[in-house]
């Protein structure tokens, strides 16, 4: 089966925080969106979340025809996804639930519709064979908050067609996302694995009493995190090498870096460490309003994204 370019109505299955972010973003890009979630009160919560996201999306810039009125909600999944060209599934992170959702979605949408899951850890190959035409099922993993962060990780399973992957990459790019193709399935994909590597050392440093929770956060937020927000780890290394670039860095700093790798801490979560981390976060927050903190973060993210949009060269 050959899959064509994506156009038409989009379905969002599962309308928690990630699903609501996707729904808001698709609406802001000028699509008709059909949303579904069986939970009591799901529609009201979804519309409230979208209303909260909308001012930021307006600041980013709405596509022609974008409107919250183009959202249609139906708790019945078959009715909701019927006729949709693209489905973004955001159900619970359980293989049995995902398989059931894919079976129900694929039975109700056209055979050439593309189905993407937002799963953060489940392998596509473990679930896609539950769908009719499993070659059009793949991963489209966003980064939270999905209506702001451009990254989408695209991964195919053993049954996914090249057409599906190519169309997904083209679709996400066309709506302003920054999709990357991950060429082999693995737990956590790419971005979350990179985060997990940093978290491991962060937790180890706190556990060993080397740094406080606040100091670790400061070390990243006011140190390399500022550069990482503009260029990735390889390009930052390249700039560190001056005229010799990354080749110079690897030649002269490679051995010390390798010694740091070998010295990285191993840590296991336990009650004592969990309590220490929670206590450290509470101390760092000092009673700050979480909703206000999230708003300030999102305002800064928006300003950064606008700045990055004006940068020339690699993004």
């Amino acid at each position: 089966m050959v899959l064509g370019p994506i156009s038409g109505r989009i379905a969002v299955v599962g309308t928690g925080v990630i699903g609501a972010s996707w729904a808001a973003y698709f609406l802001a890009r000028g699509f008709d969106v059909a949303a579904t979630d069986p939970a009591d009160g799901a529609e009201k919560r979804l519309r409230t979340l979208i209303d909260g996201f909308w001012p930021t999306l307006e600041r980013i810039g709405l596509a022609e025809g974008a409107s919250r009125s183009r959202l249609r909600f139906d708790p019945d999944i078959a009715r909701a996804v019927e006729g949709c060209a693209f489905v973004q599934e955001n159900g619970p992170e359980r293989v049995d639930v995902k398989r059931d959702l894919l079976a129900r979605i694929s039975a109700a949408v056209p055979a050439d519709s593309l189905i993407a899951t937002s799963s953060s850890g489940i392998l596509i190959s473990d679930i896609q064979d539950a769908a009719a035409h499993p070659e059009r099922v793949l991963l489209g993993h966003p980064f939270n908050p999905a209506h702001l962060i451009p990254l989408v990780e695209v991964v195919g399973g053993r049954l996914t067609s090249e057409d599906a992957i190519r169309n997904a990459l083209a679709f996400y790019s066309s709506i302003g996302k920054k999709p990357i193709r991950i060429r082999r399935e693995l737990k956590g994909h790419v971005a979350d694995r990179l985060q997990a590597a940093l978290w491991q050392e962060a937790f180890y440093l706190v556990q060993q009493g080397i740094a406080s929770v606040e100091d670790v956060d400061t070390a990243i937020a006011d140190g390399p995190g500022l550069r990482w927000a503009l260029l990735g780890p390889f390009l930052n290394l390249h700039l560190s090498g001056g005229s010799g670039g990354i080749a110079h860095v690897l030649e002269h700093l490679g051995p010390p870096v390798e010694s740091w790798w070998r010295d990285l801490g191993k840590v296991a979560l336990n009650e004592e460490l969990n309590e220490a981390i929670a206590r450290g976060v509470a101390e760092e927050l000092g009673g700050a309003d979480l909703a206000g903190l999230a708003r300030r973060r999102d305002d800064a993210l928006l300003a950064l994204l606008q700045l990055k949009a004006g940068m020339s060269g690699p993004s």
Side-chain angles (χ1 to χ4, degrees):
M1 181 177 62
V2 177
L3 300 172
I6 297 165
S7 61
R9 190 165 70 252
I10 291 177
V12 173
V13 176
T15 59
V17 173
I18 296 299
S21 273
W22 272 124
Y25 190 80
F26 292 141
L27 289 167
R29 303 304 349 125
F31 288 93
D32 291 310
V33 176
T36 183
D37 192 305
D40 291 339
E43 180 177 5
K44 182 179 180 181
R45 286 192 296 273
L46 171 62
R47 294 186 183 277
T48 298
L49 284 169
I50 291 174
D51 286 345
F53 299 151
W54 204 253
T56 300
L57 290 166
E58 287 179 319
R59 289 169 62 191
I60 293 172
L62 302 179
E64 184 177 355
S67 172
R68 284 170 285 181
S69 67
R70 297 178 71 172
L71 174 68
R72 178 173 62 84
F73 186 92
D74 194 321
D76 183 273
I77 189 171
R79 289 197 303 262
V81 305
E82 184 179 8
C84 290
F86 182 84
V87 181
Q88 188 77 44
E89 179 274 318
N90 315 278
E93 285 287 303
R94 286 175 43 189
V95 169
D96 59 334
V97 174
K98 295 285 190 189
R99 290 180 63 85
D100 177 65
L101 286 173
L102 289 178
R104 295 163 66 192
I105 291 167
S106 63
V109 296
D112 60 351
S113 297
L114 197 61
I115 303 172
T117 177
S118 297
S119 174
S120 58
I122 294 173
L123 302 184
I124 298 302
S125 293
D126 290 341
I127 58 176
Q128 70 181 151
D129 62 334
H133 304 293
E135 66 273 12
R136 39 76 178 269
V137 177
L138 47 73
L139 181 94
H141 178 243
F143 219 64
N144 192 36
H147 62 288
L148 282 182
I149 302 293
L151 176 67
V152 180
E153 296 174 311
V154 176
V155 190
R158 58 184 175 81
L159 300 176
T160 307
S161 72
E162 282 297 315
D163 278 344
I165 294 171
R166 181 168 53 251
N167 287 351
L169 291 168
F171 170 66
Y172 286 127
S173 294
S174 74
I175 61 172
K177 290 295 186 180
K178 290 281 189 177
I180 62 171
R181 178 176 182 178
I182 300 173
R183 290 164 175 79
R184 183 166 63 86
E185 294 180 276
L186 73 172
K187 291 188 295 184
H189 320 312
V190 168
D192 278 339
R193 289 179 70 92
L194 291 170
Q195 281 198 133
L198 178 60
W199 289 335
Q200 176 174 298
E201 187 64 13
F203 277 69
Y204 175 78
L205 293 172
V206 172
Q207 182 189 56
Q208 297 298 310
I210 295 166
S212 69
V213 167
E214 183 173 5
D215 287 342
V216 170
D217 276 348
T218 299
I220 296 300
D222 294 293
L226 293 171
R227 297 187 305 188
W228 291 343
L230 302 174
L231 299 172
F234 291 120
L235 283 181
N236 272 306
L237 267 181
H238 185 62
L239 291 182
S240 297
S243 60
I246 197 167
H248 174 77
V249 173
L250 295 177
E251 180 181 357
H252 292 275
L253 292 181
V257 169
E258 284 186 303
S259 74
W260 301 340
W261 287 343
R262 291 191 293 268
D263 194 51
L264 289 176
K266 299 295 183 182
V267 65
L269 295 176
N270 54 47
E271 185 176 351
E272 181 181 3
L273 178 56
N274 292 353
E275 289 177 354
I277 295 295
R279 185 167 58 251
V281 168
E283 292 170 356
E284 182 178 3
L285 287 172
D289 174 55
L290 289 181
L293 179 61
R295 283 194 301 272
R296 292 194 298 276
R297 177 204 63 183
D298 290 353
D299 286 344
L301 273 175
L302 179 57
L304 178 59
L305 288 168
Q306 292 171 334
L307 176 64
K308 282 170 65 72
M311 289 178 63
S312 57
S315 59

